[in-house]
Amino acid sequence: MDQELYSKERSASLDLLLRFQRLLVSKLYPADCVGQVPNTYSPDLLGVGSLLKKYTALLCTHIGDILPVATSIACTSHRHFAEVSRVVDGDLTGILLPELVVSIVLLLSKNSGLMQEAGAIPLLAGLLEHLDRFNHLAPGKERDDNEDLAWPGIMGSFFTGQSCRNNEEVTLIRKADLENHNKDGGFWTVIDGKVYDIKDFQTQSLTGNSIL
């Protein structure tokens, strides 16, 4: 239902591009072909692969123009980063690119020879530097880099003094972080998009835990 609502908010042109991208991927997805010689591809299939390469090149050109501008604005403050991220998330960068990367990884696992023949993967590699620069501006980036494999201990340093100093303007808390914190005995709640710690209030409240 969330996806359907999100789809209605997209522009018609962006929705059309997403459908076209999915069509390309579906045409390249290997069917069970009995008697087909390995590593031989029909002209139609190679044509779709060539079209995917051209599509990826156009998409990467657009994203390569957008991300440096987004990075220059987002580096102003964490609040600017949050606003720019919201805009980018609704752009081609946030809608088409993630699904395209996952699709190409899937196609690569199913038919690496065809994907190498298509030549779209090196084009995506050119975006890594732009994406890396933008992502390094994210609040809590140091925590994510250092503790990415340390779950569930990630909450241990979530609100350390260092984190607070790094994110004086805004601290972004993911839904998973909130759920894990509460599973460990904490009591965070979300009101109007802001996270409140009501653990101390829980012991003083006369209303009981069920209402809280």
Side-chain angles (χ1 to χ4, degrees), residues 21-56:
Q21 177 176 297
R22 290 173 176 173
L23 180 63
L24 287 176
V25 172
S26 67
K27 292 293 184 182
L28 289 170
Y29 193 83
D32 294 329
C33 298
V34 180
Q36 182 176 350
V37 180
N39 297 325
T40 60
Y41 311 108
S42 68
D44 289 345
L45 202 58
L46 292 175
V48 176
S50 176
L51 194 56
L52 176 66
K53 181 179 180 180
K54 292 178 181 178
Y55 168 81
T56 304

Side-chain angles (χ1 to χ4, degrees), residues 189-196:
T189 188
V190 180
I191 303 173
D192 294 334
K194 296 181 179 179
V195 177
Y196 295 87

Side-chain angles (χ1 to χ4, degrees), residues 65-160:
D65 292 338
I66 291 293
L67 280 180
V69 178
T71 302
S72 66
I73 299 173
C75 68
T76 308
S77 69
H78 292 316
R79 193 174 303 279
H80 281 77
F81 177 84
E83 285 299 315
V84 171
S85 296
R86 183 181 60 81
V87 174
V88 170
D89 196 45
D91 182 66
L92 276 66
T93 310
I95 295 175
L96 299 181
L97 182 62
E99 186 170 316
L100 179 63
V101 171
V102 172
S103 298
I104 286 182
V105 170
L106 174 64
L107 291 171
L108 190 61
S109 68
K110 293 291 184 179
N111 198 333
S112 59
L114 177 60
M115 293 310 298
Q116 295 292 343
E117 191 82 23
I121 298 174
L123 299 173
L124 289 171
L127 293 177
L128 289 176
E129 186 175 349
H130 294 304
L131 290 167
D132 198 47
R133 286 177 181 171
F134 183 79
N135 288 332
H136 269 69
L137 298 175
K141 179 265 303 180
E142 294 86 358
R143 183 194 71 246
D144 290 340
D145 285 350
N146 294 333
E147 303 185 20
D148 199 24
L149 300 178
W151 188 89
I154 189 170
M155 293 309 302
S157 61
F158 192 83
F159 274 129
T160 62

